[in-house]
Amino acid sequence: MHSSKPSLREARRRGRRRPAKGKSDLVAIHTEQVAVEEPREAGPVHVGHQMWKKLGVDEVLARAGLSARARVLREIMNSLTVTL
């Protein structure tokens, strides 16, 4: 019985292929020269925003008569309370 999966040797050989001339997708990064500027926490804010969208809170507030500006400000206030 012959498996359709490539062998480890074949996978390694394929991984050593060189990209076409001038078409390399490799990038050299000097990690000791990387700096972080203005770090922000994304986890809870992102989850809160996704839940806001998934639950349709914006639509509910729009039907309740809140303006687009008020809805955006409400979401921002919710995000701030999550991260505090």
Side-chain angles (χ1 to χ4, degrees):
M1 189 167 164
H2 182 58
S3 173
S4 62
K5 286 179 144 182
S7 68
L8 183 56
R9 182 174 291 144
E10 177 64 18
R12 284 184 181 154
R13 187 185 65 74
R14 287 181 187 172
R16 284 190 285 242
R17 287 185 187 162
R18 294 186 180 184
K21 191 172 184 177
K23 301 223 178 193
S24 175
D25 61 347
L26 298 177
V27 177
I29 298 175
H30 299 281
T31 56
E32 66 279 354
Q33 296 176 0
V34 174
V36 177
E37 296 179 9
E38 299 181 36
R40 294 173 283 170
E41 188 170 353
V45 174
H46 177 70
V47 170
H49 175 67
Q50 293 304 314
M51 289 303 296
W52 182 276
K53 288 173 35 180
K54 186 83 169 172
L55 294 171
V57 176
D58 195 63
E59 291 81 13
V60 171
L61 295 177
R63 283 193 306 245
L66 271 72
S67 68
R69 178 177 164 80
R71 295 191 313 268
V72 168
L73 291 173
R74 183 68 256 168
E75 185 180 2
I76 291 169
M77 292 304 293
N78 285 355
S79 296
L80 291 174
T81 57
V82 167
T83 59
L84 295 177

